[in-house]
């Protein structure tokens, strides 16, 4: 081996390197001297013959030195080559990455040739894929089944057909000459301004949609009119990647085969406008009662606004599908978009744009669409059954309303025809005997009812109103906004039994615990301080009348629907615990009122369906299942997922449910629900009457059925509640009156021929924990109390009718109310309502103070209740309207 290529010195006597050096020395005729042994400059690390070497600490250093010696960056020279002698060229690779000629981090920077090659390859691949896709995807010869008129078929619980209804009778295609130019201008101006210029595809819109699909976001929007026409006509509505690509390729081909007018005509004929109307002709008839050709530009703008989403832009409202889509909210949204679309039509660069004069005429007044109408088969209670089932399907699947209304679905429901008929007959019978529509105070009376199976959740019957054919489109069985009054008190009692009060350290409270039942009482916080109004004066809670009940058991307070014990009990238990029990029992949290003092007295507004389901939890020994109305949904012969029976869960301890039932049995046997004794079998229930006598409830159950009935008056245009003082010729309507009569008539028919299993025995629960100020020591109570426990005035408090007083218009001035005077029905000696209102079935209205801060105003309540008459005092709340 040459001297200048010697390896660094190796340990003596060992290693392969030493052996190799020995061999080298032998072949050259001499042994290589160790580095530094000769004393020459080369040995000292300076340049020697042919450049010399310097000492290297490792093989890596040697290789780097060799690279430097080669005069270029790259791989080191081959064996025996010096600095001045270039090594062999590096081996060539098809893709030079990592770069062979690079050093260090430079090896990992791709060359411009590599980058440009990859870009060209990627673009070429896309072009190839697009070409293949374009060649393979053809325009279907026939429209997709979704674009063909079909009906939805609904079935009773026994699988016999209830009704076939849908878009089948509400569709008619028209040609472009029968569509006003203003309609085309409206949709182009609002949705696709470049319609006459583009190729029919919005690539960026597709990219956004695909990105949203990947992230789970909204896949709607961003499509051209051509794409929407293709989707409506040739494709399913599934939001998938493959469907999006098909839409793109078919849209391109359609754009080359059809004229823009043909595409616009197809789009307007296949679009969904709400109310079951597909196509512009059906929409014109549905909303304006005229043919499409006769639509004005202003009307066209309203219909074009519907294409953004009829659920939210139909001025009539769609709160049966979404609680935010009320008539008021939808009307406002529709007007705003109508105005904007007209403005875009005026600004359009199309030759048919609105002139200044046409625009001023169109914007002058919003063209109010006509109200909803019943479609074929949607009459009587069937209209509300279909409404409830449809709402359930949309909530429990990813089917859109537009898809569903295209038809082709078979919906199997839980509704039992004999029970539905029995419920409608019960309402009709009681209504006929009590309500005279010719009397002013009997006008606009509404009923709602629902019946649910305990231990199951199946809705077997409901009453939604007088029918779509009579212009009543709100399902009273599934509506919100009707306070439930004293029917809420069982949840307060259940919370006390389960959680106890702040004084019992988590131990439940017995229903034999005594609380002060007198009228006009101060309500106390847990620390012993009084709940205060804004002016720092104490808040007083009223009963319906001034009768001096004294300290009575919670059982007795429930029997006679006395308010003061339950307001104070709710404060002692904690309103959050009350809300927890109510929610677990089956009530929806979004129907709850504020957690203030009045929360214990029923200011919340659950639907009749939810109230029946929540009481079914008591009937089922504390087991709860969410209410459901649909068991199976089929489409194109296939059963869709998501309609399994709701899971049964233990909402409260059995002992708590049994004791609530025992207390509610006593309400019927000895209290405000005595009219239900006519059922002739063991049952439990609770009455409820609300603020200003605006609604009255009865909710009751056996082990087989739980049924809720509500009665109220409603102003038809604003849907605001009206007082029922004087309705049916009575001073006021109580839950124990007409609602209980309806409940009893229905339950008689629904349970005819069924056995009477009664209820499980209620074992002792919790400990007796009397309210503040109760006499001590507490005498040992009997196991069961009766009405004789209370004083016996003549006549008895539960038999008298209230002395009605006129109710002023409610004035709301913020969360805590405002100052004002007024007369409150159901007063008693105590506080007037927020403006003199009657309290919610023994309570306060929804603007009552929180448990820690109170406020109100002065109002004079002249009321009483079904337990006597009394003069209302001053304060925050009016006296209750009674149980």
């Amino acid at each position: 081996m040459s001297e200048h290529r010697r390896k660094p010195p190796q340990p003596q006597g060992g290693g392969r390197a030493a052996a190799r050096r020995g061999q080298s020395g032998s072949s050259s005729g001499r042994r290589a001297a160790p580095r530094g042994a000769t004393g020459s400059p080369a040995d000292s690390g300076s340049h020697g013959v042919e450049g010399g070497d310097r000492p290297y600490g490792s093989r890596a250093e040697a290789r780097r030195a060799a690279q430097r010696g080669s005069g270029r960056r790259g791989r080191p020279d081959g064996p025996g080559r010096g600095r001045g002698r270039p090594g062999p060229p590096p081996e060539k690779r098809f893709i030079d990455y990592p770069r062979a000629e690079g050093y260090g981090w430079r090896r990992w920077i791709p060359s411009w040739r590599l980058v440009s090659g990859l870009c060209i390859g990627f673009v070429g691949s896309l072009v190839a894929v697009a070409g293949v896709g374009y060649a393979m995807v053809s325009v279907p010869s026939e429209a997709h089944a979704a674009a063909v008129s079909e009906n939805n078929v609904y079935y009773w619980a026994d699988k016999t057909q209830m009704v076939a209804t849908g878009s089948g009778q509400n569709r008619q295609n028209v040609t472009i000459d029968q569509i006003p130019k203003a309609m085309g201008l409206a949709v182009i101006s609002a949705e696709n301004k470049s319609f006459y210029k583009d190729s029919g595809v919005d690539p960026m819109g597709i990219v956004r949609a695909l990105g949203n699909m990947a992230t789970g976001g909204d896949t709607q929007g961003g499509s051209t009119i051509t794409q929407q026409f293709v989707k409506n006509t040739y494709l399913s509505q599934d939001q998938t990647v493959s469907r999006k690509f098909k839409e793109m390729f078919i849209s391109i081909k359609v754009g080359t085969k059809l004229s823009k007018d043909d595409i616009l005509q197809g789009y307007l004929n296949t679009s969904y406008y709400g109310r079951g109307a597909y196509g512009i002709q059906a929409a014109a008839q549905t909303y304006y009662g005229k043919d499409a050709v006769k639509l004005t530009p202003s009307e066209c703008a309203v219909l074009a606004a519907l294409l953004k989403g009829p659920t939210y832009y139909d001025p009539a409202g769609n709160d049966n599908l979404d609680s935010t889509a009320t008539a008021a909210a939808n009307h406002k949204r529709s007007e705003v978009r109508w105005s904007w679309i007209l403005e875009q039509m005026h600004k359009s660069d199309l030759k048919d744009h609105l002139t200044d004069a046409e625009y001023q005429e169109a914007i002058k007044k919003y063209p109010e669409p006509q109200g909803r109408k019943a479609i074929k088969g949607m009459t009587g209670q069937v209209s509300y059954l279909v409404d409830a089932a449809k709402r359930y399907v949309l909530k429990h699947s990813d089917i859109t309303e537009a898809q569903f209304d295209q038809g082709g679905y078979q919906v199997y429901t839980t509704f039992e025809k004999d029970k539905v008929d029995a419920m409608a007959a019960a309402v009709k019978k009681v209504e006929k005997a009590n309500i005279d529509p010719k009397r002013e105070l009997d006008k606009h009376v509404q009923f709602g009812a629902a019946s649910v199976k305990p231990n199951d959740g199946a809705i077997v019957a409901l009453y939604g109103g007088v029918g779509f054919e009579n212009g009543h489109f709100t399902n009273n069985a599934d509506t919100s906004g009707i306070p439930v009054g004293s029917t809420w008190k069982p949840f307060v009692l259940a919370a006390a039994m389960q959680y106890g009060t702040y004084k019992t350290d988590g131990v439940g409270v017995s229903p034999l615990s005594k609380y002060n039942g007198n009228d006009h009482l101060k309500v106390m916080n847990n620390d012993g301080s009084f709940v205060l109004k804004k002016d720092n004066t104490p808040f007083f809670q009223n009963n319906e009348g001034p009768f001096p009940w004294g300290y009575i058991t919670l059982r007795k307070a429930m029997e006679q629907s006395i308010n003061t014990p339950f307001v104070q009990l709710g404060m002692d238990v904690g309103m959050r615990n009350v809300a927890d029990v109510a929610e677990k029992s089956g009530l929806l949290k979004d129907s709850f009122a504020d957690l203030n003092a009045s929360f214990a007295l029923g200011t919340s507004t659950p639907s009749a369906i939810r109230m029946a389901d929540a009481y079914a939890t008591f009937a089922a020994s504390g087991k709860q299942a969410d209410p459901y109305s649909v068991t199976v949904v089929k489409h194109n012969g296939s059963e869709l997922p998501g309609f399994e029976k709701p899971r049964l869960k233990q909402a409260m301890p059995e002992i708590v449910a049994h004791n609530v039932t025992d207390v509610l049995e006593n309400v019927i046997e000895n209290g405000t629900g005595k009219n239900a004794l006519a059922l002739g079998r063991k049952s439990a229930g609770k009455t409820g009457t609300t603020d200003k006598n605006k609604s009255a409830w009865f909710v009751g159950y056996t082990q087989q059925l739980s049924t809720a009935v509500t009665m109220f008056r409603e102003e038809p245009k604003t849907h605001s509640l009206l007082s029922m003082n004087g309705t049916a010729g009575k001073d006021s309507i109580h839950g124990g009156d007409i609602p209980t009569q309806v409940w009893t008539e229905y339950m008689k028919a629904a349970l005819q021929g069924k056995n009477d299993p009664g209820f499980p025995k209620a074992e002792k629960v919790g400990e007796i924990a009397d309210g503040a100020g109760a006499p001590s020591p507490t005498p040992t109570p009997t196991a069961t109390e009766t009405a004789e426990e209370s004083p016996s005035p003549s006549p008895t408090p539960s038999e008298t009718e209230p002395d009605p007083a006129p109710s002023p218009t409610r004035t709301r001035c913020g969360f805590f109310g405002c100052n004002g005077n007024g007369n409150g029905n159901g007063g008693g000696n105590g506080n007037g309502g927020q403006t003199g209102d009657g309290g919610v079935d023994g309570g306060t209205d929804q603007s009552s103070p929180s448990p820690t801060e109170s406020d109100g105003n002065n109002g004079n309540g002249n009321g009483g209740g079904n337990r006597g008459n009394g003069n209302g005092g001053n304060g925050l709340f009016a006296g209750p309207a009674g149980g």
Side-chain angles (χ1 to χ4, degrees), residues 19-192:
R20 287 195 298 271
R21 284 195 300 271
Q23 292 172 355
S24 175
S26 299
S27 62
S28 62
R30 63 182 177 85
R31 183 179 180 89
R35 181 169 302 197
T38 63
S40 68
D43 291 336
S44 65
S46 60
H47 296 290
V49 178
E50 294 189 10
D53 285 338
R54 69 176 186 179
Y56 310 125
S58 67
R59 295 182 182 179
E61 290 182 5
R63 286 194 296 271
R64 288 194 290 271
Q67 288 176 320
R68 288 191 296 271
S70 68
R72 60 177 175 82
R73 296 191 183 278
R75 285 179 286 183
D77 294 338
R81 296 184 183 276
R83 177 181 301 176
R85 302 173 61 189
E91 181 181 348
K92 291 185 177 180
R93 293 181 293 172
F94 182 72
I95 298 178
D96 185 21
Y97 192 81
R99 298 176 68 180
E101 296 184 357
Y103 173 70
W105 60 269
R106 292 181 177 84
R107 298 187 66 206
W108 304 100
I109 299 179
S111 65
W112 67 269
R113 294 185 183 87
L114 179 60
V115 172
S116 59
L118 289 175
C119 290
I120 293 172
F122 178 72
V123 173
S125 299
L126 286 181
V127 172
V129 169
V132 172
Y134 183 82
M136 292 181 65
V137 176
S138 60
V139 178
S141 58
E142 294 183 0
H144 187 269
V148 178
S149 176
E150 291 186 84
N151 283 331
N152 292 323
V153 183
Y154 295 83
Y155 298 88
W156 295 103
D158 63 3
K159 294 182 173 54
T160 58
Q161 183 171 317
M162 179 197 304
V163 67
T165 185
S167 62
Q169 304 301 321
N170 198 18
R171 188 179 200 138
Q172 180 182 350
N173 290 339
V174 291
T175 57
I176 192 68
D177 60 311
Q178 295 174 298
I179 301 174
K181 293 185 181 299
M183 190 65 211
L185 176 63
V187 296
I188 292 171
S189 300
E191 300 186 35
N192 187 189

Side-chain angles (χ1 to χ4, degrees), residues 333-346:
R333 278 189 286 259
S334 177
E335 283 199 63
V336 170
R337 188 159 178 83
W338 161 80
S339 176
W340 177 81
I341 290 174
L342 286 176
E343 183 181 0
Q344 301 306 306
M345 294 167 69
H346 178 48

Side-chain angles (χ1 to χ4, degrees), residues 80-81 83 112 214 273 386 524 697 741 787 796 846:
R81 296 184 183 276
R83 177 181 301 176
W112 67 269
Y273 296 81
V386 168
M524 296 174 58
W697 289 73
Q741 293 176 37
T796 59
Q846 296 185 47

Side-chain angles (χ1 to χ4, degrees), residues 750-795:
L751 297 174
Q752 186 175 9
K754 302 289 178 63
N755 65 336
D756 182 5
F759 296 106
K761 183 180 179 181
E763 300 177 358
K764 181 180 177 181
V765 64
E767 65 179 31
I768 295 177
D770 297 335
S776 183
T778 302
T780 303
T782 59
T784 304
E785 298 181 88
T786 66
E788 285 147 8
E789 170 201 348
S790 62
S792 301
S794 181

